[in-house]
Amino acid sequence: MSYESNPILDKLPKHLKQFIKPQNYEDYTAIDQAVWRYVMRKNVDYLSQVAHSSYVDGLEKTGISIDQIPNMYGMNRILKEIGWAAVAVDGFIPPSAFMEFQAYNVLVIASDIRQLENIEYTPAPDIIHEGAGHAPIIANPEYAEYLRRFGEIGCKAISSAKDYELYDAVRHLSIIKEAHGTPQEEIEKAEKDIEYLQENMGEPSEMALIRNLHWWTVEYGLIGSVEHPKIYGAGLLSSIGESAWCMTDQVKKIPYSIEAARTEFDITKPQPQLFVTPDFAFLSQVLEDFANTMAVRKGGLLGIEKLITSQALGTIELSTGLQISGEFHHVIEHDGKPIYIQTKGPTALAYREKELVGHSTAYHSEGFGSPIGKLKGINIAIEDMGPRDLKAYKIYEGEQISLEFEGGIKVEGTIITGTRNLMGKIILITFKDCTVTHEDKVLFQPEWGLYDMAVGQSVVSAYNGPADLNSFDLITHQLTETTIKPKKSPKRLQLEQYYQQVRDFREGKNTTISRNKVFQVIKSEFPEDWLLPVELYELAKQGDDHHFQKEILDHLESIKRNNPKVGHLIDDGIKLADASLVS
């Protein structure tokens, strides 16, 4: 095992554990630590005024330090107190897996950290976004329950084949944008690919819609009144640029409602509008309203059609409780209702999320087809028939029978046996010498072996994934590409060393280092680096070395002239240093 487990992580199913990777804490450089420290100091200073009160309280509760990147093991020891855990992953993982982790009270943390060049905002998930954005707010019990429930409902949302394509494209962009030295034309091409996909998605899937809700709440949510909102979304909490931008009048504030599900977002740009929820409880109310529109609660013909469009593993549940899991391939309808369903490839049957004995994917390896609905001219459905009714209609062991369903499906053969649920209702009837037809089309013939007919007059639910997680081999996830770890130049390694020396000095580990010598080297050999001079300024301020302070400030002014884009970052760093001395 490549990570330290705990009681919460022990409960994770195997197919989620495949995404977990070791944090490799020793891979963080002193530059990474300086980036974390700068963002966190700026965040806490600013967010204490504009974030929901749970944020600052949560930083303390979840044990997230301002001065150093959190260690996952340490976080887990503290998160355990509020019934949660955290795991490290490699960048973006599929949305359904991300949400399923949430359903198990597990926070997914991309353990990489943004480059100094992307200190204000990164399109890639990173430990600042996940650790400093998501973790503190889950210390609020109402919000934590919303997050868990969102995961539970979200992982049942049905995707489309295009969603998977978009996921791969977004993951690719996030990787190359954070990689050192990616040519600009490659980034622009990846952005255009995403733009093209987004413009040609067709009718949004359930996953696309619920992902929008997730974005406008968990990632980019505001709370309170439209006139005086506070921040709680992790994307805003972890972006020192956007947390300030979102509070201006340039960003439109809209009362949160289910309409947010139909509002698209662009991950590569600051958001032009944000939604404001009055409180955390209202988030759960909207989530339940949305869940009521989903196939997991509505079932029916539309639910089956969504599964067919997804071209992925899904489940339907019949009114008897019988669950059919597989890749749905075809449906025959009559009067707007499904009257026959067909899967292709490995299929499993289950009841109450437990596979029926003898009905594994090995048995139904070529797919599964069955009529759904009521028998023609008979008011009582098979599932509602008692033993006397079944005998009267010759639905009985050893009987040769012809069953005609509403809509024209015919099942003719000899009944071998029936399978009942806990309530005593028939959920499955097995035939030999069986022929199944619809009008002139043969759907099943005797040479194919025994025929298992599902019993159920309606489809009450349809959702992503299998009913019984053990029915399928789900440990097949292959990342198309992994985050790029650059080969460091000798110069980069040298810069990391100077950052480490300054860090060691500040922490009292080595006070013999000449900060002045370090500064002179940075000034001559790394003239574009601004963060280490800011850290040196802070130490000069603490040491009351006025001459050294002035020398550093003069150098920082020249950096601002040469690179105006970092001017406000330098100014903010100086303010933080001045303020820390006052406090």
Side-chain angles (χ1 to χ4, degrees), residues 389-402:
D389 300 316
L390 291 167
K391 199 160 192 177
Y393 289 111
K394 294 195 171 182
I395 303 172
Y396 209 73
E397 284 88 341
E399 292 282 359
Q400 192 169 346
I401 192 168
S402 176

Side-chain angles (χ1 to χ4, degrees), residues 510-524:
N510 186 353
T511 52
T512 62
I513 295 153
S514 168
R515 288 158 293 152
N516 214 296
K517 275 185 188 168
V518 170
F519 174 64
Q520 297 309 327
V521 174
I522 296 297
K523 195 172 161 184
S524 62

Side-chain angles (χ1 to χ4, degrees), residues 515 536-546 549 574 577-579 581:
R515 288 158 293 152
L536 285 165
Y537 172 77
E538 185 188 346
L539 293 174
K541 193 91 180 165
Q542 286 168 1
D544 208 23
D545 187 338
H546 296 289
Q549 285 173 49
I574 291 165
D578 292 344
L581 200 70

Side-chain angles (χ1 to χ4, degrees), residues 408-428:
I409 303 287
K410 270 190 188 173
V411 179
E412 298 170 287
T414 302
I415 295 176
I416 299 176
T417 187
T419 304
R420 296 176 185 271
N421 67 14
L422 289 171
M423 303 297 116
K425 288 186 174 185
I426 291 276
I427 60 172
L428 201 65

Side-chain angles (χ1 to χ4, degrees), residues 373-561:
K374 290 171 75 174
L375 294 170
K376 193 173 181 182
I378 300 174
N379 284 331
I380 187 167
I382 295 175
E383 67 197 73
D384 295 327
M385 291 181 181
R388 287 187 184 84
D389 300 316
L390 291 167
K391 199 160 192 177
Y393 289 111
K394 294 195 171 182
I395 303 172
Y396 209 73
E397 284 88 341
E399 292 282 359
Q400 192 169 346
I401 192 168
S402 176
L403 300 174
E404 186 175 356
F405 287 79
E406 290 175 348
I409 303 287
K410 270 190 188 173
V411 179
E412 298 170 287
T414 302
I415 295 176
I416 299 176
T417 187
T419 304
R420 296 176 185 271
N421 67 14
L422 289 171
M423 303 297 116
K425 288 186 174 185
I426 291 276
I427 60 172
L428 201 65
I429 298 171
T430 304
F431 296 80
K432 67 177 181 180
D433 303 325
C434 188
T435 302
V436 183
T437 55
H438 177 245
E439 295 168 351
D440 299 330
K441 190 174 181 185
V442 176
L443 302 171
F444 191 91
Q445 47 200 38
E447 307 87 84
W448 296 354
L450 300 180
Y451 180 69
D452 297 291
M453 184 186 86
V455 176
Q457 62 179 315
S458 62
V459 174
V460 296
S461 183
Y463 55 86
N464 168 65
D468 184 338
L469 293 172
N470 297 313
S471 293
F472 293 81
D473 175 17
L474 301 173
I475 309 176
T476 54
H477 181 69
Q478 290 291 324
L479 291 174
T480 48
E481 58 185 323
T482 55
T483 48
I484 298 161
K485 307 292 182 201
K487 186 165 171 47
K488 294 175 185 175
S489 66
K491 197 165 183 187
R492 174 76 180 185
L493 291 168
Q494 192 188 4
L495 182 61
E496 286 175 7
Q497 204 175 353
Y498 290 127
Y499 268 86
Q500 188 63 54
Q501 286 177 5
V502 170
R503 185 173 179 81
D504 288 344
F505 184 93
R506 189 176 59 250
E507 292 177 351
K509 289 177 185 169
N510 186 353
T511 52
T512 62
I513 295 153
S514 168
R515 288 158 293 152
N516 214 296
K517 275 185 188 168
V518 170
F519 174 64
Q520 297 309 327
V521 174
I522 296 297
K523 195 172 161 184
S524 62
E525 293 185 29
F526 304 94
E528 292 176 2
D529 185 86
W530 61 269
L531 184 53
L532 194 55
V534 164
E535 292 211 332
L536 285 165
Y537 172 77
E538 185 188 346
L539 293 174
K541 193 91 180 165
Q542 286 168 1
D544 208 23
D545 187 338
H546 296 289
H547 177 72
F548 194 24
Q549 285 173 49
K550 185 176 184 314
E551 200 179 348
I552 296 168
L553 287 174
D554 288 346
H555 174 60
L556 287 169
E557 281 301 322
S558 74
I559 294 176
K560 281 159 66 174
R561 281 194 298 276

Side-chain angles (χ1 to χ4, degrees), residues 30-75:
I31 297 177
D32 296 333
Q33 295 284 4
V35 166
W36 171 273
R37 184 170 180 267
Y38 177 92
V39 173
M40 288 304 294
R41 290 176 80 216
K42 188 162 162 37
N43 271 1
V44 172
D45 177 64
Y46 174 66
L47 293 173
S48 56
Q49 305 157 48
V50 296
H52 188 266
S53 58
S54 297
Y55 176 74
V56 179
D57 296 345
L59 278 175
E60 206 172 305
K61 280 182 190 167
T62 49
I64 292 172
S65 159
I66 288 169
D67 285 317
Q68 59 189 24
I69 296 168
N71 185 309
M72 217 70 77
Y73 303 145
M75 268 183 80

Side-chain angles (χ1 to χ4, degrees), residues 12 74 104 128 140 178 181 217 221 288 312 395 403 408 493 516 544 568:
L12 286 174
Y104 284 94
I128 293 179
N140 179 297
E178 267 298 316
T217 60
E288 291 302 320
I395 303 172
L403 300 174
L493 291 168
N516 214 296
D544 208 23
H568 64 291

